[in-house]
Amino acid sequence: MRVVIAGLILLISGCSAPLQSTGNPSEGLVYAPKPLYPSQAYQKRLTGIVKVKYDVDASGKTYNVAVIQEWPKGYFKESALQSVSKMKYIQNHPKQGLIINIKYRLVKIIN
């Protein structure tokens, strides 16, 4: 048997939003690009998680995108910010205070 390390499997899962949130982060979501696995993290075989807070305007675009927690620090932040900044929601349903966890994991594929 041969063991191959896959580049990544990313799981994007919603986290409970703060009290001012207007709903579930996946509700009305039209497009969510997969975050790129940072090469430095991949080379070091690191996994991680980034918690991102953001708002959605009436046109369905995200704004006020900010990392509120990351582990480990310094590897996944930029990838998560870029991904959430490109997310699209249905129009005319603005939301505030959404929080999403982006998990970065390497998986072993056994052939």
Side-chain angles (χ1 to χ4, degrees):
M1 276 196 306
R2 197 174 79 180
V3 177
V4 178
I5 304 275
L8 70 110
I9 285 195
L10 294 172
L11 299 175
I12 298 177
S13 60
C15 174
S16 59
L19 294 176
Q20 70 268 24
S21 173
T22 57
N24 183 331
S26 62
E27 185 179 320
L29 184 62
V30 175
Y31 173 70
K34 289 184 179 180
L36 297 176
Y37 211 97
S39 60
Q40 230 180 8
Y42 178 75
Q43 290 170 357
K44 293 182 179 186
R45 303 294 189 248
L46 295 177
T47 60
I49 187 166
V50 181
K51 186 179 283 191
V52 181
K53 182 177 180 179
Y54 62 100
D55 301 322
V56 178
D57 67 17
S59 70
K61 295 180 182 178
T62 58
Y63 69 102
N64 289 336
V65 180
V67 168
I68 56 176
Q69 190 175 21
E70 64 174 309
W71 181 87
K73 288 194 179 278
Y75 290 95
F76 301 102
K77 178 181 178 178
E78 291 304 316
S79 171
L81 287 173
Q82 287 177 7
S83 180
V84 174
S85 293
K86 294 176 183 176
M87 291 169 65
K88 302 284 184 225
Y89 283 81
I90 58 174
Q91 294 183 354
N92 300 318
H93 289 87
K95 299 173 184 250
Q96 292 186 325
L98 296 177
I99 295 176
I100 192 169
N101 287 329
I102 301 176
K103 299 175 184 178
Y104 295 82
R105 290 195 279 183
L106 294 170
V107 294
K108 293 181 183 177
I109 300 173
I110 302 172
N111 292 331

